[in-house]
């Protein structure tokens, strides 16, 4: 089989995650040897699976919820991991845990550019931002990473470095401790 660029997403079908944009991006990339694994409880993906069937999108695998150990294996196989893409208030506020999981796995991550994300990450340094709620921009960014090996590797390495320095549970704990200590002064 010819090499396929594998894009990984796990989560739920809630608006903040922006699954419809991922499906539309997959549709735009169906002739570009890009394949998507979307992992999560299948019953929450009813609308997504319907949309995908209607479009006849053949490059998405909907995979049911799996234990964390198995999820890690799926992430390890991927060339890129996806964060969240919706434009709800929640999406704008939350720094998706899955983004941290992706960088902890030394994977380049694409996620929507939001104020919360910009506080932690730098575009094209340790993450690749795309416009929120834009399947076209998401598709473009996936192709850019597919076609630019150096960018892919540097984002993955820098993301992993950021994770080790600032985002491990230990580092986060230390950070929170500092905030508490400094507010008590």
């Amino acid at each position: 089989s010819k090499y396929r660029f594998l894009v990984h997403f796990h989560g739920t079908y809630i608006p903040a995650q922006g699954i419809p944009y991922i499906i539309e991006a997959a549709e735009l990339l169906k002739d570009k040897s890009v394949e998507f694994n979307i992992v999560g409880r299948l019953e929450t993906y009813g609308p997504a699976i319907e949309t995908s069937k209607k479009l006849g999108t053949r490059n998405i695998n909907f995979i049911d919820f799996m234990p964390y150990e198995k999820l890690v294996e799926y992430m390890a196989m991927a060339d890129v991991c996806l964060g969240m893409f919706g434009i709800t208030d929640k999406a704008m506020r939350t720094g998706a845990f899955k983004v941290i999981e992706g960088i902890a796995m030394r994977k380049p991550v694409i996620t929507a550019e939001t104020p919360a994300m910009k506080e932690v990450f730098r575009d094209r340094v340790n993450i690749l931002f795309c416009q929120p709620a834009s399947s076209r921009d998401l598709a473009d960014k996936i192709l850019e990473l597919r076609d630019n090996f150096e960018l892919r590797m540097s984002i993955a390495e820098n993301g992993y470095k950021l994770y080790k320095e600032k985002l491990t549970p230990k580092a986060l704990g230390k950070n929170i401790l500092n905030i508490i200590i400094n507010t008590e002064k």
Side-chain angles (χ1 to χ4, degrees), residues 25-177:
E27 180 61 21
L28 292 166
L29 297 172
K30 65 175 183 226
D31 302 322
K32 307 275 187 207
S33 294
V34 177
E35 190 172 342
F36 290 72
N37 282 342
I38 294 184
V39 183
R41 296 200 184 278
L42 286 182
E43 66 267 22
T44 69
Y45 285 141
I49 294 167
E50 279 312 299
T51 306
S52 176
K53 278 200 186 114
K54 264 196 217 89
L55 291 168
T57 313
R58 304 242 178 280
N59 56 340
I60 302 181
N61 310 305
F62 287 99
I63 301 156
D64 206 0
F65 181 79
M66 56 181 68
Y68 202 75
E69 300 68 48
K70 189 145 198 252
L71 184 64
V72 168
E73 286 172 30
Y74 271 81
M75 290 174 83
M77 291 189 305
D79 295 296
V80 58
C81 292
L82 300 182
M84 40 210 304
F85 304 97
I87 44 170
T88 62
D89 287 345
K90 182 180 180 189
M92 289 298 173
R93 280 195 314 272
T94 49
F97 191 58
K98 69 167 108 316
V99 172
I100 296 178
E101 290 170 335
I103 68 167
M105 292 283 299
R106 240 196 191 105
K107 295 292 173 183
V109 174
I110 303 174
T111 197
E113 184 169 354
T114 67
M117 287 295 174
K118 283 165 78 172
E119 281 176 31
V120 184
F121 296 100
R122 284 176 56 215
D123 190 29
R124 298 179 177 278
V125 175
N126 43 34
I127 203 149
L128 189 56
F129 282 137
C130 73
Q131 294 156 19
S134 169
S135 43
R136 166 49 64 197
D137 196 46
L138 174 56
D140 290 346
K141 294 292 161 54
I142 289 168
L143 284 184
E144 185 178 357
L145 281 189
R146 186 198 68 179
D147 298 339
N148 188 336
F149 180 78
E150 283 76 20
L151 182 65
R152 213 160 74 224
M153 290 302 118
S154 72
I155 288 175
E157 280 309 312
N158 290 330
Y160 185 66
K161 212 160 82 190
L162 175 74
Y163 169 74
K164 296 294 272 186
E165 285 166 14
K166 298 212 166 86
L167 299 170
T168 62
K170 196 174 169 182
L172 286 170
K174 212 179 278 172
N175 208 348
I176 290 163
L177 196 64

Side-chain angles (χ1 to χ4, degrees), residues 180-185:
I180 293 166
I181 291 166
N182 293 326
T183 24
E184 284 180 352
K185 279 181 186 156

